[in-house]
Amino acid sequence: MAQPSPPASPTPPPPSRLASRYRAYRLPAFVLAAALLAAVGVATVAGLRSFANSAEWVEHSYQVIAEIESTLAATRTVESSARGYRLTDRPALHAEYLASIPAALNHSSELIALTRDNPRQHRLARDVERRVRMRLAEIDRLLEMHMRDPQQARLSSQTSHGAEQMRALTAVADAMREYERALLSARDARTERNATLLTALVIGGLLLALGLLALLMLNLWQENKRSRALERESRQALAELEASAAERQRLTERHRSLSHYAGLLQSCQTLQEAMDMTAHVIADLIPEFGGRCYILRASQNLAETAARFGREAIASADLLHPDDCWALRRGRTHRSQAHDGGVRCAHLARAEAGADSGGDPRWSLCVPLMAQNTSLGLLCLSGERPPREADLALIQSIAEQLSLAVVNLQLRETLRVQSLRDPLTGLFNRRYLEENLQRELLRCQRRKLPLSVLMLDVDHFKRFNDTHGHAAGDALLARVGQLMQELVRNEDIACRYGGEEFTIVLPEADAAAAMQRAEQIRAAIAATTIVHLRQTFGPATCSIGLATSVGDRDTPQQLLQAADAALYRAKAEGRDRVVDGNKPAAADA
């Protein structure tokens, strides 16, 4: 009898069958891994925000503690200044006392503002302010009593409650400080617990997600052979996608650069700086185009090149009249191309003979810089290939941003000049004198050089004004200012001090040189007449006082006072003369 054959062992499924068996688990595994990573990310962001919030509160607590210390220190400063004044009667200590009072009040007010989020601390802060005011009132009372009767003030200070007030103020401040330190300790403990929990969550989530991703990668590697054929078919689609992504990236980068450019324009200090930046941006974003930026002069009769960029395909003039550009005439963007019969602006170089018939591809684009219906300048570009719509939109956007920046810079420059110049005479004003006399005096003192100041006053100006009218008086002052501008050096500072008084600062000029310059100015004014409303007035005369600083102890106020005193001496001696304030009067000599 035949023996039964043994059962056949089961054959293992092929790798492709194994791969397809696990294919159903890929998506859930991927979703789970993504969810874990997202959860880790959310936990990380939440933890970072929590840490940032905790850091802000810690910073807030330190600010409160700092304001507490500043309040106490400012109050003690007021107390010590007042005590020093009562002991020495020095005016400087009295001035220091008056100057330190606002600081104490400001710090106590700032402490109240910082503690609005905490009712307990806010209440204590108000108590601190109240006690600071009580202490300041007590100090002020003793100071006033000292001014009336020093002996009574000393007796009253011995029975004053100042020490008790200060101890009470310090006690309230210590309570606030201890409470803030307790808050800091609690926040540090909470932050430590959150950090430990966040670390455990992040590490556990990452390990689990990485394990799932490793299993997915193993499964995908098993199907790698089968996917190669599909990869060849998708290469072309991928290339198209990459080209699309590159174009999108280029547009995104352009928008980012344009936004960055708009922000930088707001920080430009001069028109030239804005133009140079614009040229750099255009050359960076569209390097295949070349051109230049023009700025219209204030007279609106000529535009001059302010910046260049790239290589111009069609050269443009360095200077152009607004009528030579169709864009400036019409107030609109003007584009021309040789082969399509476009009208080219007169400031552009003409094409060579026969180039137009041969289909010259070069083109030009003029974009006016306009703001509030006023022409400010021009962007002129040219290239060898026609521009894309995206390029045109970019150039238009740059022109709009630049127009706003130009009008803002021009307005800023106008305001700056108006703040430094006297509108009637064109000279610098008193504010400019006060700011620059100190600097020039210190510079000359460092270099051991002299510095002279002339104080000039038009003689009998009030009588001239009353006789001929204010308009004639203004005309006389304007003429005096013009003469001073013509007779001073570039490094001198000529200012209208006020009314009919003028001041001239002569750096590095000794008394002899200043006297010579003053005599020239006096003689020029004495020989000048003015014509107003077809009437001739003058000549007028002036008196000039001179003061010179040759040491390192003079101050601007002392120089101006010395020159003013010399001016009054010149008037007292008969006017129409120059008096050297460095020399004593004849009676004193």
Side-chain angles (χ1 to χ4, degrees):
M1 185 172 180
Q3 296 291 332
S5 61
S9 61
T11 59
S16 60
R17 296 278 300 275
L18 288 174
S20 60
R21 178 184 301 176
Y22 295 107
R23 185 176 299 170
Y25 300 101
R26 290 177 188 169
L27 182 59
F30 177 77
V31 171
L32 180 58
L36 287 172
L37 291 176
V40 169
V42 170
T44 303
V45 171
L48 292 176
R49 288 185 176 178
S50 175
F51 295 153
N53 185 49
S54 177
E56 291 177 358
W57 280 110
V58 169
E59 178 66 21
H60 177 269
S61 294
Y62 281 117
Q63 290 178 355
V64 171
I65 293 173
E67 283 300 326
I68 293 171
E69 299 295 341
S70 299
T71 302
L72 292 176
T75 306
R76 292 191 181 98
T77 300
V78 174
E79 187 179 50
S80 62
S81 300
R83 184 182 299 112
Y85 176 69
R86 293 200 308 271
L87 293 175
T88 64
D89 286 332
R90 292 173 56 189
L93 291 175
H94 186 263
E96 181 180 349
Y97 159 74
L98 294 177
S100 59
I101 290 176
L105 295 176
N106 290 339
H107 283 302
S108 61
S109 299
E110 182 65 22
L111 183 60
I112 292 176
L114 285 174
T115 56
R116 291 186 187 278
D117 58 298
N118 191 317
R120 179 186 181 280
Q121 292 291 80
H122 191 62
R123 185 175 64 256
L124 291 177
R126 288 191 175 277
D127 191 20
V128 167
E129 185 191 35
R130 180 178 64 81
R131 294 182 182 278
V132 167
R133 291 186 180 276
M134 289 174 56
R135 182 56 185 145
L136 294 180
E138 177 66 15
I139 294 172
D140 188 63
R141 184 186 68 81
L142 291 176
L143 198 62
E144 290 182 356
M145 185 180 297
H146 174 77
M147 291 180 178
R148 294 193 304 268
D149 187 353
Q151 182 63 31
Q152 183 181 359
R154 282 192 292 271
L155 293 176
S156 178
S157 64
Q158 295 175 0
T159 60
S160 173
H161 299 286
E164 290 80 0
Q165 291 175 345
M166 202 62 195
R167 282 195 294 271
L169 172 61
T170 304
V172 177
D174 289 341
M176 289 187 68
R177 189 163 44 233
E178 291 302 321
Y179 185 77
E180 286 295 333
R181 288 173 177 169
L183 289 177
L184 283 174
S185 299
R187 289 166 184 160
D188 288 341
R190 185 168 58 253
T191 301
E192 184 67 25
R193 290 195 303 271
N194 292 341
T196 302
L197 179 60
L198 178 62
T199 302
L201 289 175
V202 169
I203 292 176
L206 286 177
L207 290 177
L208 187 55
L210 290 175
L212 290 173
L213 290 176
L215 292 176
L216 285 173
M217 291 299 297
L218 178 61
N219 187 259
L220 290 174
W221 178 77
Q222 293 175 349
E223 285 195 351
N224 185 42
K225 293 182 179 180
R226 189 178 63 87
S227 63
R228 289 179 181 175
L230 297 175
E231 181 182 357
R232 287 192 299 268
E233 296 176 359
S234 62
R235 283 179 181 174
Q236 186 169 357
L238 181 59
E240 295 175 357
L241 181 61
E242 288 178 350
S244 176
E247 180 66 17
R248 188 181 299 109
Q249 179 66 25
R250 188 174 68 88
L251 293 177
T252 302
E253 182 64 23
R254 278 191 174 184
H255 290 156
R256 187 196 63 78
S257 299
L258 189 60
S259 299
H260 184 61
Y261 163 72
L264 290 177
L265 272 182
Q266 305 304 316
S267 302
C268 289
Q269 299 294 326
T270 62
L271 282 175
Q272 188 60 49
E273 189 178 15
M275 290 296 168
D276 292 339
M277 186 193 306
T278 302
H280 176 75
V281 168
I282 296 178
D284 184 53
L285 295 182
I286 40 178
E288 60 270 26
F289 300 158
R292 58 183 71 199
C293 307
Y294 290 93
I295 281 292
L296 270 171
R297 292 181 178 175
S299 58
Q300 294 284 307
N301 64 349
L302 197 65
E304 56 186 347
T305 300
R308 298 186 181 186
F309 51 90
R311 187 183 67 84
E312 293 178 307
I314 304 175
S316 180
D318 290 334
L319 298 174
L320 63 90
H321 193 276
D323 291 340
D324 293 339
C325 181
W326 288 101
L328 290 177
R329 283 193 198 181
R330 303 166 62 204
R332 298 174 52 187
T333 300
H334 179 74
R335 177 184 173 186
S336 65
Q337 197 160 357
H339 66 79
D340 62 2
V343 180
R344 184 171 289 181
C345 296
H347 61 89
L348 297 172
R350 294 297 174 186
E352 298 179 0
D356 291 349
S357 60
D360 187 356
R362 296 181 301 168
W363 61 274
S364 64
L365 183 70
C366 294
V367 184
L369 304 179
M370 304 283 295
Q372 301 174 356
N373 295 324
T374 302
S375 296
L376 304 171
L378 177 72
L379 280 182
C380 180
L381 300 95
S382 60
E384 299 288 348
R385 65 161 181 81
R388 296 185 290 266
E389 290 298 325
D391 297 331
L392 296 176
L394 176 65
I395 294 170
Q396 188 66 40
S397 180
I398 290 176
E400 293 174 359
Q401 297 287 348
L402 182 59
S403 300
L404 293 176
V406 168
V407 74
N408 287 335
L409 287 170
Q410 289 179 344
L411 177 60
R412 185 189 305 171
E413 180 64 19
T414 301
L415 294 176
R416 189 187 70 83
V417 172
Q418 290 177 353
S419 68
L420 299 178
R421 293 279 185 180
D422 174 57
L424 177 62
T425 62
L427 301 177
F428 291 112
N429 55 24
R430 186 168 179 173
R431 172 188 171 189
Y432 184 87
L433 170 69
E434 293 172 350
E435 292 178 355
N436 288 270
L437 177 56
Q438 175 78 24
R439 185 184 69 246
E440 290 295 331
L441 181 60
L442 291 175
R443 182 181 65 83
C444 290
Q445 289 175 349
R446 286 195 303 269
R447 299 182 180 182
K448 306 299 181 182
L449 296 173
L451 180 141
S452 298
V453 174
L454 304 181
M455 188 74 76
L456 182 149
D457 184 270
V458 179
D459 295 332
H460 303 296
F461 179 74
K462 184 178 184 304
R463 185 171 63 191
F464 183 90
N465 224 18
D466 295 339
T467 303
H468 304 294
H470 292 288
D474 289 345
L476 175 60
L477 293 178
R479 179 56 181 158
V480 171
Q482 181 182 359
L483 285 172
M484 292 174 63
Q485 287 181 332
E486 295 172 355
L487 294 174
V488 299
R489 304 169 299 177
N490 291 334
E491 61 269 23
D492 297 338
I493 304 174
C495 308
R496 184 181 180 186
Y497 195 72
E500 68 274 18
E501 287 190 330
F502 300 85
T503 304
I504 304 176
V505 179
L506 305 173
E508 303 181 17
D510 56 13
M515 178 65 75
Q516 182 180 4
R517 185 68 53 81
E519 286 290 349
Q520 292 175 354
I521 296 173
R522 184 198 61 78
I525 294 175
T528 300
T529 59
I530 62 170
V531 178
H532 179 68
L533 298 179
R534 300 182 180 179
Q535 294 184 5
T536 302
F537 302 104
T541 62
C542 69
S543 301
I544 302 177
L546 183 153
T548 302
S549 171
V550 295
D552 57 357
R553 291 175 294 180
D554 294 326
T555 64
Q557 291 76 16
Q558 292 172 341
L559 272 180
L560 292 175
Q561 290 173 2
D564 194 53
L567 172 62
Y568 278 98
R569 283 173 52 192
K571 287 184 172 293
E573 293 175 8
R575 295 184 171 85
D576 190 20
R577 64 192 62 220
V578 180
V579 170
D580 187 354
N582 305 300
K583 298 179 180 179
D588 300 334

